[in-house]
Amino acid sequence: MSGKIVLAYSGGLDTSVAIRWLIENYRCGVITVTVDVGQGEDLKLIQEFAERIGAEKHYSIDAREEFVKDYVYPAIRANAMYQGKYPISTALSRPLIASKLVEIAKREGADAVAHGCTGKGNDQVRFDVTISALAPDLKIIAPIREWGLSREEEIKYAQEHGIPIPDKRQSQYSIDKNLYGRSIECGVLEDPSVEPPEEVFEWTVAPEKSPDKPEYLTIGFDAGTPISINGSKMDPVTMIMSLNNIVGRNGIGRIDHIEDRIVGIKSREVYECPASIVLIEAHKDLEKCVLTRHELAFKHLVDNEWAVAVYSGLWMDPLLEDLNAFINKSQERVEGEVKLKLYKGACQIVGRKSPKSLYNQKLATYGVDTIFNQTKAAGFTELWGLQTKIANIARRRLER
Ligand code: ARG
């Protein structure tokens, strides 16, 4: 043992207690790492906490651009929505954070990495699987899975060791944040019949309090990737931050659903993901213009596999590369602009255009200048309905 553990540190209660607990229980030096994926926390303050609690060294890594480019944008190309509702915002950040932990562990010659996940959630799976795929020899320590402390015991431990404790109102909830979404769990939310109180929301206004005038938004895509808002080109981080703001102020982006965790638990999950909702809706609409119906039907299956795999911690599985090969090829034609209307909690698509569109007005029009030959349709419907007709004849014969 080199006596060094690299810990993913958020500045919250769990990982703060973990610093001291690792030092005491493993008799090791602890190196803390905070990866900035847009959680909007004060990184200086987090570093101060870490050092005050006993970390021998601290790293702050700004990974926001990498997060959007290499994790969020692929998710948009895959229209990733777990169980039709959750844009997998937390899930996407985990393999990135895990890869940074491994990088630092190698640089520091550490023998172990540690994370603050519980044994009941998805995040432990995502961290453990990614870390072991990247560095099979690194030991993984998850103090919270090991120590069996209740929330109260944790607070007591923190008090005894002079560890800063987050304020009461916040501590009722367990919150995870990154550029692509905010997740809120625990407290009153554990009763799935109770409406989430207004205090849990930070990025979205209640639809009833949103402006009385609709706001229009045009999103431009190239190769399935968002590149502009209302005609202005935008870098990835600014793109997501601006969309969260525009969409959130119109009361759009709140999600409340029952989710199946990897470990089998059903849980009630509340999220705020404003940018993801408009990006995926717009992207899907544009795909409908440029992909054939056969491609769309197959891509729908691939997209679902993609979301389930990433949700389930399989970012490093070769399956992801295989699915990406199909998705990226299909995205070569996904270019154009989609116009949305945002109003009081609803996001409506009201227009789209693409230089690669398969829409042909001369085929679709009911006007006189159509190029579609209707006389061919009679033969088509006869063959198309052949088996349906025969099956019904056969059923009537049996019923007699
Ligand atoms: N259920 C979500 C997911 O599995 C949110 C997890 C939030 N994580 C957290 N540590 N608070 O992705």
Side-chain angles (χ1 to χ4, degrees):
M1 288 278 277
S2 70
K4 282 189 208 166
I5 300 174
V6 172
L7 168 71
Y9 182 61
S10 68
L13 180 65
D14 286 338
T15 51
S16 292
V17 170
I19 297 177
R20 185 53 68 86
W21 186 89
L22 285 168
I23 297 170
E24 280 183 359
N25 285 267
Y26 284 84
R27 313 232 153 264
C28 272
V30 172
I31 297 164
T32 45
V33 179
T34 305
V35 182
D36 185 1
V37 283
Q39 61 270 48
E41 302 283 346
D42 181 342
L43 297 174
K44 274 255 142 349
L45 193 67
I46 290 178
Q47 166 152 15
E48 260 173 57
F49 281 176
E51 285 163 356
R52 201 183 330 144
I53 300 165
E56 66 174 43
K57 194 167 178 184
H58 178 84
Y59 286 87
S60 289
I61 301 172
D62 181 355
R64 289 174 305 165
E65 182 167 331
E66 187 179 352
F67 178 53
V68 179
K69 265 193 164 142
D70 298 343
Y71 296 79
V72 172
Y73 282 176
I76 289 159
R77 294 193 283 268
N79 300 315
M81 278 287 176
Y82 180 65
Q83 298 191 312
K85 278 280 202 176
Y86 167 42
I88 59 172
S89 42
T90 295
L92 287 167
S93 71
R94 295 326 192 199
L96 171 59
I97 298 170
S99 73
K100 299 297 177 199
L101 288 179
V102 169
E103 206 177 296
I104 303 291
K106 286 189 174 159
R107 186 185 310 171
E108 292 286 342
D111 343 82
V113 290
H115 57 69
C117 303
T118 73
K120 298 181 88 172
N122 296 318
D123 289 327
Q124 57 172 343
V125 182
R126 299 164 183 154
F127 276 114
D128 290 3
V129 174
T130 308
I131 292 163
S132 67
L134 290 169
D137 297 329
L138 267 182
K139 183 176 159 61
I140 301 169
I141 306 170
I144 297 160
R145 271 194 314 221
E146 279 182 41
W147 68 35
L149 294 179
S150 68
R151 191 83 180 163
E152 292 68 35
E153 287 165 335
E154 242 183 86
I155 291 174
K156 190 158 165 270
Y157 185 99
Q159 280 162 343
E160 284 165 9
H161 292 82
I163 295 167
I165 300 168
D167 79 74
K168 253 238 163 68
R169 188 187 74 86
Q170 287 205 328
S171 64
Q172 184 193 150
Y173 304 108
S174 161
I175 293 169
D176 180 66
K177 271 193 280 190
N178 62 49
L179 277 169
Y180 197 48
R182 195 169 164 267
S183 121
I184 316 103
E185 292 168 300
C186 302
V188 288
L189 300 175
E190 285 183 359
D191 180 347
S193 69
V194 169
E195 180 175 353
E198 209 41 46
E199 65 174 13
V200 308
F201 298 109
E202 251 177 36
W203 292 6
T204 54
V205 304
E208 61 271 25
K209 297 223 172 92
S210 66
D212 290 320
K213 234 177 69 161
E215 183 165 356
Y216 286 90
L217 177 67
T218 300
I219 305 177
F221 289 87
D222 186 29
T225 304
I227 51 163
S228 65
I229 298 179
N230 299 331
S232 330
K233 288 253 180 294
M234 229 162 252
D235 70 85
V237 172
T238 317
M239 164 82 72
I240 302 296
M241 293 202 321
S242 327
L243 285 178
N244 277 334
N245 176 29
I246 298 170
V247 178
R249 69 181 174 224
N250 285 288
I252 300 160
R254 295 183 176 186
I255 298 162
D256 177 347
H257 86 140
I258 301 290
E259 185 169 301
D260 285 292
R261 288 194 190 156
I262 312 162
V263 295
I265 297 172
K266 278 199 187 287
S267 68
R268 191 275 184 95
E269 299 284 334
V270 176
Y271 302 102
E272 289 183 286
C273 301
S276 73
I277 290 181
V278 288
L279 284 170
I280 292 178
E281 281 304 304
H283 178 259
K284 280 204 286 199
D285 189 84
L286 193 57
E287 283 187 327
K288 287 193 189 176
C289 285
V290 300
L291 300 184
T292 67
R293 68 162 107 162
H294 314 292
E295 287 180 294
L296 287 169
F298 188 71
K299 184 163 186 292
H300 184 71
L301 305 174
V302 173
D303 287 350
N304 189 52
E305 290 301 317
W306 199 97
V308 171
V310 174
Y311 180 86
S312 312
L314 301 180
W315 185 265
M316 292 303 298
D317 195 281
L319 172 65
L320 247 277
E321 258 179 73
D322 304 342
L323 300 176
N324 281 331
F326 170 81
I327 292 174
N328 291 336
K329 178 74 189 148
S330 75
Q331 298 303 290
E332 287 173 2
R333 278 172 285 139
V334 185
E335 179 185 332
E337 282 190 343
V338 180
K339 187 173 171 191
L340 302 104
K341 183 178 182 176
L342 313 176
Y343 183 58
K344 292 221 169 281
C347 143
Q348 231 182 311
I349 293 179
V350 292
R352 70 287 285 159
K353 61 174 185 237
S354 165
K356 298 183 173 159
S357 176
L358 306 182
Y359 177 85
N360 182 337
Q361 197 163 356
K362 282 214 162 1
L363 280 173
T365 182
Y366 286 101
V368 283
D369 57 342
T370 182
I371 55 170
F372 188 86
N373 183 349
Q374 295 199 42
T375 62
K376 305 239 192 242
F380 168 75
T381 63
E382 188 178 330
L383 299 187
W384 172 249
L386 189 59
Q387 293 201 351
T388 308
K389 182 171 81 182
I390 291 171
N392 277 275
I393 292 170
R395 185 171 56 202
R396 280 192 295 272
R397 197 184 326 118
L398 287 172
E399 277 165 8
R400 259 192 264 121

